[in-house]
Amino acid sequence: MPMRPMRLARYVWAAPCSALGLALALPALLLGGTARPVGGVLEISLAAALRRLRLRRLPFRAITFGHVILGTSRTNLRRLRAHERIHVRQYEQWGIFFFLAYPLSSLLQLLQGRSPYWHNWFERQARAKASPAEFGRHKET
Ligand SMILES: [Zn+2]
């Protein structure tokens, strides 16, 4: 079935961000990372690449770029799916401007003496809309 025009428009609008996600995922995929489409989003597990590079951890468990989600493992991708899907929706609304709006929100929080991550408007929205079970337990980006 062909994609509906509005849905297609959201993919096109977020495409520059998705392209960056793919570019960042490429080295990991070449090192054995795996990609899997889940509900219209490409989920990339970095687990094999991290093992190969002997990296135990990254500053995030999952991070979203448009319709591409990079996760440190399949388990983390599954656990954080609801939260990261809210970020996907945010990219669909903001498009390339997300790359300006997100850090700007962090900066505004920092200038007010608050956490640039936890108080970031986009993170607060993602936590509020995602599963309450996830709330506060995981470090997402
Ligand atoms: Zn987040």
Side-chain angles (χ1 to χ4, degrees):
M1 195 169 119
M3 194 179 275
R4 291 187 315 187
M6 276 309 291
R7 186 153 185 236
L8 178 63
R10 288 197 289 266
Y11 277 83
V12 171
W13 181 236
C17 310
S18 304
L20 178 64
L22 287 174
L24 293 171
L26 189 60
L29 292 171
L30 293 172
L31 289 170
T34 55
R36 181 190 294 173
V38 180
V41 173
L42 193 61
E43 293 187 351
I44 314 270
S45 170
L46 306 175
L50 294 176
R51 274 195 305 275
R52 191 166 285 184
L53 295 170
R54 300 181 195 281
L55 285 172
R56 290 207 180 156
R57 56 189 317 163
L58 293 175
F60 59 87
R61 291 185 189 178
I63 186 166
T64 298
F65 296 94
H67 292 89
V68 177
I69 302 173
L70 310 179
T72 52
S73 69
R74 284 267 157 240
T75 302
N76 284 333
L77 284 166
R78 192 176 57 249
R79 281 184 185 155
L80 298 170
R81 187 169 289 142
H83 178 98
E84 299 304 324
R85 287 307 171 100
I86 303 299
H87 288 315
V88 171
R89 300 287 92 82
Q90 293 168 343
Y91 277 103
E92 290 179 343
Q93 292 167 354
W94 289 78
I96 191 80
F97 298 105
F98 187 85
F99 288 151
L100 188 65
Y102 186 100
L104 193 60
S105 178
S106 288
L107 179 63
L108 289 173
Q109 296 306 322
L110 198 61
L111 291 174
Q112 295 173 62
R114 296 195 284 249
S115 163
Y117 174 75
W118 289 103
H119 295 107
N120 180 301
W121 184 84
F122 296 97
E123 292 302 336
R124 282 188 288 129
Q125 184 186 54
R127 284 195 299 273
K129 289 187 174 179
S131 160
E134 163 193 330
F135 192 75
R137 278 199 297 127
H138 302 291
K139 170 91 174 163
E140 335 82 354
T141 307

